[in-house]
Amino acid sequence: MSAWLNSLRERLRRRSERRGPASRGRAQFNLRGRLMLVTGALGVCALALVARAVDVQLLRSDFYQKQGDERFLREVAIPTSRGMITDRNGEPLAVSTPVESITANPKELLEAPELLPKLAVALGTDVDTLTRKLNQRAGKEFVYLKRRINPAEARRILALEIPGVSSQREYRRFYPQGEAIAHVLGFTNIDDRGQEGLELAFEDMLRGTPGMKRVIRDRRGRIVEEVDLVRPAEPGKNITLTIDRRIQFLAYRELKRAMLDTGATSGSAVVLDVASGEVLAMTNLPSFNPNAVGLGNRDAHRNRAVTDVIEPGSTMKPLTVAAALEAGKITPTTIFNTNPGWIPNGKYRTTDTHNYGVLDTTGVIRKSSNVGAAKIVHMLPSKDFHEFLVRLGYGRSTGSGFPGESPGSLKKPERWSGTDKQTMSYGYGLSATPLQIAHIYATLGNGGRAIVPTFIKGETGEATQVLDERIAHEVLRMMQTVTEPGGTAPQAAILGYHVAGKTGTARILINGVYSRRYNTFFAGLVPVDNPRFAMAVVLKDPDPSTGYTGGVVSAPVFKNVMEGALRLMDVPPDDIDTWLAAQAAADAKRTRQAVVVAPAAVVPQPMPAAMVEAIDALPAAGGAR
């Protein structure tokens, strides 16, 4: 080092001598000082770098790690499936299937506008719509481009490898039974949250809890590493309903057939298990497809069986009779003179469809006499009659827990006009839902014990005695005559079973005036000796040309559904004699048809074509079998 310095000094001295005295003065400087300055500056820089490294790696490593994580580390949700809904026999009614949703980072995607046309084609949209959607969320890091699509379609979109585009797993609800049970189940929205029906009522149980995990994403949003499980996903709980999908389909099919045959604008049917209060079937028409909610009429989503209130018409008459029996005012054989077929009712009058003359209490129900019911209710104090109706369930919700259930309407006695009590006796001036009517009839069939209707299997509530068992049984026997010859609904009779029921045909109130349009009812129980099922059927505004009374329009629906339900549930008949007599008559008819008297001359008859084809299809003698 010293040799190099001596050499440098010698060169500088010679250069100074050549330049003269002025130049020699300027060339005099402290070389050692300059070198030390440079060395010191380099040393300070080295110390600064070391200090910075210590700060980044040791002192503030957590801060810088967090900053890095915010750019690449993300917490993403772990989707979880919604709980399954099954019928009472374990058959699926609502299940969740995995689907994919296409997502994007708007900022990153907008930096490559030349790729948007290709992406728009893959998404099935136009470039302008896609661009507008991205621009609206340009300040965000996340946007849905297309939700709940088939995984195969999602893979085709991701295969384009467009920066900022990714996918995430979601679940979509599927309803195998379609519109047959749509009103009971309801449906979920695009985020798989219950919106109506039992999907809404049991949202907290069905929804489940999504999990959470930390992942590292690359610049295209793809997960390259799963770092940590923050919270495991908890799937929703399964729910078993009281609904029997077979009876549900029967009710739906028969109600739809009746609507087509009669031209009714809407209809509802409810089937209850008498002993447990379980809802075995509940159907409404018009209906909708819960798998494609947006394509139907929004008004069709309403579960009319629990939300729509209607005046119950003559289905009230057995209850009027029960109230008078409980008060000790009448017996099943008390006589009423209904001549001349009407009585005054303020400025109007209460009339029967025919002049039934003299009827006993049973006859009032069998013939559905408005006059007879009015005369019975006049024996009761208004307060007692009101209290009786409230006790049985009018004017209050059944407590089923179904979203939007209506309590119906029943005015207090102090608000009654001079005619209210008389019209209430045969079903005008108060209102109820089809579920309420079925529930009240189930109470009659259960020996006067009321049980809150339930949709969840195994949640049978405690029975409350609201009517004396003997009176309930007497009313059932009187209602049995309705489905027998001479009653208003022989169309509801079921071979081998005693059926108790009541028809109803109530005018529809439009703008405060009763029109010539009708709600037609049939409510009944079967079998009478040990009631198993209670059912209420209502059809609105049938075409008068096809018949509009409850016995013609609604009673056949009851019969067809109950025949199937009795067979499916293996309910033993309680009218063996009638069944045996019918079988004997059928056997005798077949025997008579089989008896052929040999004619004097036998004239060959051509063989039926179907028989010829059957014979031709048989294998030849000795051939293969």
Side-chain angles (χ1 to χ4, degrees):
M1 181 70 176
S2 59
W4 179 78
L5 289 173
N6 291 332
S7 175
L8 179 61
R9 290 193 188 101
E10 181 62 24
R11 287 197 299 271
L12 291 173
R13 185 182 63 79
R14 292 173 183 172
R15 184 181 298 176
S16 174
E17 289 176 351
R18 288 196 299 271
R19 291 181 178 178
S23 298
R24 193 181 303 118
R26 290 195 302 269
Q28 298 298 319
F29 61 89
N30 188 349
L31 181 61
R32 182 181 295 275
R34 287 190 177 187
L35 290 174
M36 291 179 67
L37 180 63
V38 171
T39 303
L42 291 174
V44 170
C45 291
L47 287 175
L49 289 174
V50 171
R52 180 62 174 166
V54 170
D55 179 64
V56 172
Q57 297 293 331
L58 299 177
L59 300 180
R60 293 202 293 169
S61 62
D62 292 342
F63 170 78
Y64 291 107
Q65 183 66 43
K66 181 180 178 182
Q67 293 298 309
D69 290 345
E70 286 181 355
R71 288 159 175 77
F72 297 100
L73 188 66
R74 293 288 185 271
E75 285 191 354
V76 298
I78 304 174
T80 184
S81 61
R82 193 174 177 85
M84 183 167 61
I85 301 177
T86 64
D87 81 338
R88 64 186 303 109
N89 300 310
E91 295 292 335
L93 301 178
V95 295
S96 291
T97 56
V99 291
E100 295 288 331
S101 290
I102 301 299
T103 64
N105 184 327
K107 183 178 180 180
E108 187 174 354
L109 194 53
L110 287 171
E111 291 176 354
E114 69 280 1
L115 299 176
L116 294 183
K118 182 166 62 171
L119 178 60
V121 172
L123 294 172
T125 186
D126 58 87
V127 179
D128 292 340
T129 301
L130 177 60
T131 304
R132 184 166 55 252
K133 187 174 186 178
L134 293 173
N135 285 326
Q136 288 172 349
R137 296 166 177 81
K140 300 184 180 297
E141 294 184 351
F142 179 88
V143 64
Y144 283 111
L145 297 182
K146 194 171 185 179
R147 297 195 66 179
R148 302 202 302 181
I149 62 176
N150 188 289
E153 182 182 353
R155 286 194 295 270
R156 287 195 296 271
I157 296 174
L158 295 177
L160 299 175
E161 296 188 349
I162 297 176
V165 177
S166 58
S167 71
Q168 70 178 32
R169 171 63 56 87
E170 292 190 303
Y171 288 89
R172 181 177 182 177
R173 208 63 162 161
F174 175 64
Y175 303 94
Q177 307 301 318
E179 63 180 34
I181 196 171
H183 294 101
V184 174
L185 298 179
F187 55 89
T188 60
N189 62 8
I190 196 167
D191 294 315
D192 211 24
R193 291 182 176 271
Q195 298 299 291
E196 292 186 11
L198 298 182
E199 291 277 27
L200 174 60
F202 297 99
E203 169 68 12
D204 292 341
M205 292 179 61
L206 292 167
R207 183 178 58 220
T209 304
M212 190 70 67
K213 62 182 178 181
R214 290 192 182 93
V215 300
I216 295 177
R217 291 183 182 271
D218 64 11
R219 60 184 297 271
R220 291 187 175 181
R222 296 174 300 189
I223 295 175
V224 296
E225 182 182 353
E226 293 187 3
V227 178
D228 184 27
L229 176 63
V230 178
R231 182 180 66 249
E234 296 180 8
K237 296 179 181 178
N238 296 337
I239 291 179
T240 301
L241 301 185
T242 58
I243 297 291
D244 188 307
R245 70 176 182 87
R246 301 168 300 175
I247 301 177
Q248 177 73 25
F249 180 75
L250 275 174
Y252 171 77
R253 184 189 68 186
E254 295 303 325
L255 190 66
K256 189 170 186 177
R257 179 183 298 171
M259 283 188 62
L260 292 174
D261 291 343
T262 64
T265 59
S266 64
S268 299
V270 179
V271 181
L272 299 180
D273 185 293
V274 169
S276 65
E278 294 178 334
V279 181
L280 299 176
M282 178 182 286
T283 188
N284 302 272
L285 286 169
S287 188
F288 66 97
N289 182 0
N291 297 303
V293 176
L295 302 180
N297 179 8
R298 184 66 181 82
D299 186 61
H301 295 176
R302 192 169 72 253
N303 187 347
R304 302 171 188 271
V306 296
T307 63
D308 286 16
V309 294
I310 43 183
E311 292 180 306
S314 294
T315 59
M316 266 292 299
K317 289 172 185 171
L319 307 182
T320 300
V321 168
L325 288 171
E326 182 181 73
K329 301 295 184 179
I330 62 172
T331 69
T333 58
T334 301
I335 299 299
F336 298 94
N337 186 358
T338 67
N339 284 302
W342 63 272
I343 58 173
N345 187 10
K347 64 179 181 178
Y348 303 104
R349 63 184 187 179
T350 294
T351 64
D352 286 335
T353 55
H354 300 87
N355 181 5
Y356 297 117
V358 177
L359 296 172
D360 60 9
T361 304
T362 301
V364 170
I365 293 179
R366 181 175 65 252
K367 293 297 185 181
S368 194
S369 171
N370 294 340
V371 174
K375 289 192 172 187
I376 291 173
V377 82
H378 281 307
M379 299 178 179
L380 301 171
S382 297
K383 182 179 179 181
D384 292 349
F385 185 53
H386 176 268
E387 186 275 333
F388 179 85
L389 296 181
V390 170
R391 198 186 337 139
L392 259 68
Y394 278 105
R396 56 188 175 91
S397 167
T398 65
S400 70
F402 197 93
E405 180 180 356
S406 172
S409 65
L410 176 63
K411 294 187 293 185
K412 294 183 178 180
E414 53 267 26
R415 295 177 54 202
W416 291 0
S417 68
T419 62
D420 280 343
K421 185 169 72 170
Q422 182 165 316
T423 56
M424 283 182 186
S425 70
Y426 50 89
Y428 289 91
L430 74 167
S431 63
T433 64
L435 176 60
Q436 281 178 299
I437 296 172
H439 175 235
I440 292 169
Y441 272 58
T443 299
L444 291 175
N446 199 29
R449 293 181 295 275
I451 300 179
V452 175
T454 179
F455 289 89
I456 303 300
K457 189 176 181 181
E459 288 192 359
T460 302
E462 184 178 352
T464 303
Q465 195 75 40
V466 297
L467 180 64
D468 184 83
E469 184 175 1
R470 177 185 59 82
I471 294 175
H473 185 70
E474 286 181 345
V475 174
L476 281 185
R477 287 301 180 188
M478 286 187 272
M479 290 167 58
Q480 182 180 327
T481 64
V482 172
T483 64
E484 295 174 345
T488 56
Q491 297 92 330
I494 300 174
L495 182 63
Y497 297 88
H498 293 301
V499 177
K502 186 67 193 74
T503 56
T505 308
R507 290 188 180 185
I508 300 175
L509 188 66
I510 301 177
N511 297 325
V513 178
Y514 284 102
S515 65
R516 289 288 180 178
R517 297 165 59 188
Y518 299 90
N519 286 319
T520 64
F521 302 85
F522 186 85
L525 303 110
V526 63
V528 172
D529 287 350
N530 184 22
R532 177 67 186 276
F533 305 120
M535 182 177 183
V537 181
V538 56
L539 287 157
K540 182 179 180 180
D541 196 18
D543 186 345
S545 64
T546 63
Y548 61 89
T549 63
V552 173
V553 176
S554 299
V557 178
F558 173 91
K559 174 190 175 178
N560 294 335
V561 175
M562 288 294 96
E563 271 188 335
L566 291 165
R567 183 175 63 254
L568 289 170
M569 296 295 195
D570 293 325
V571 179
D574 64 342
D575 188 12
I576 297 294
D577 292 340
T578 302
W579 186 83
L580 291 175
Q583 290 297 311
D587 291 342
K589 182 177 180 180
R590 285 193 295 269
T591 301
R592 287 195 302 271
Q593 292 174 345
V595 174
V596 178
V597 179
V602 178
V603 179
Q605 298 293 324
M607 185 177 295
M611 187 177 294
V612 173
E613 293 176 359
I615 292 174
D616 289 341
L618 293 174
R625 293 182 179 272

